[in-house]
Amino acid sequence: MDSSNTRRDATRRKLFEAAVTLIAEQGFSSTTVDEIAERAGVAKGTVYYNFASKNVLFEELLRHGIELLATSLQAAADEVADRGGSRIDALDAMIRAGLDFISRYPALTQLYVAELWRTNRAWQSTLMVVRERAITVVENVLREAVAQEELSEEIDIPLTASALFGMVLVAALDWQSYQPDRSLDEVHAALSRLLQGRVSGRSA
């Protein structure tokens, strides 16, 4: 049973990788199940065995990708907490984790950002759910920071969480597309200064 599940998970990962790359390259409507199967190196029937339709595959792709991101952000925050760091330090670590994730999965990030602007997709509700999954992680750390008086209780936590999340997404995509010569350290340092100076009120 474990071996069967492992094989299925491996197949689904290959399908996810193939789908996200193709959809990022040529758009959802132009990408066919045949192309996804060919890129993944599997039979067309394998796609339908794992996913009822292309739409279902895409929805699961979004859920899978954002879950990976949310897990990465939470792990970064937990690591800081374990060593006794502040909640501002945790937010900074989450920024770096987000940048690192996007640098490893640029096509997924491009796809996610592109779909956020569309309102006529069948999976719009799924997009809202996966967005909330990632932003909730940031909101929780912000609430802890307010509770510990590291941040002012006057801040709008949902909006601040969205702003931080969006800052990382846009900065990372700009970095990958237009400033690829910059290192992860450089990009993180720039965003870290914004966090320290504009959110916490401390100088970098």
Side-chain angles (χ1 to χ4, degrees), residues 116-136:
L116 280 178
W117 292 99
R118 300 180 188 274
T119 58
N120 60 341
R121 297 298 204 195
W123 51 79
Q124 189 66 25
S125 60
T126 298
L127 272 172
M128 297 301 294
V129 170
V130 298
R131 172 190 172 278
E132 188 65 23
R133 171 72 180 97
I135 289 180
T136 295

Side-chain angles (χ1 to χ4, degrees), residues 27-74:
F28 177 80
S29 298
S30 299
T31 299
T32 66
V33 171
D34 284 337
E35 289 173 320
I36 293 171
E38 181 179 357
R39 180 71 65 95
V42 302
K44 181 178 180 179
T46 301
V47 180
Y48 288 114
Y49 175 76
N50 285 275
F51 306 99
S53 66
K54 188 173 72 168
N55 277 5
V56 172
L57 168 58
F58 186 73
E59 288 193 52
E60 289 299 313
L61 172 65
L62 289 172
R63 292 181 185 276
H64 175 70
I66 295 300
E67 185 60 35
L68 287 177
L69 173 58
T71 299
S72 177
L73 296 178
Q74 188 64 63

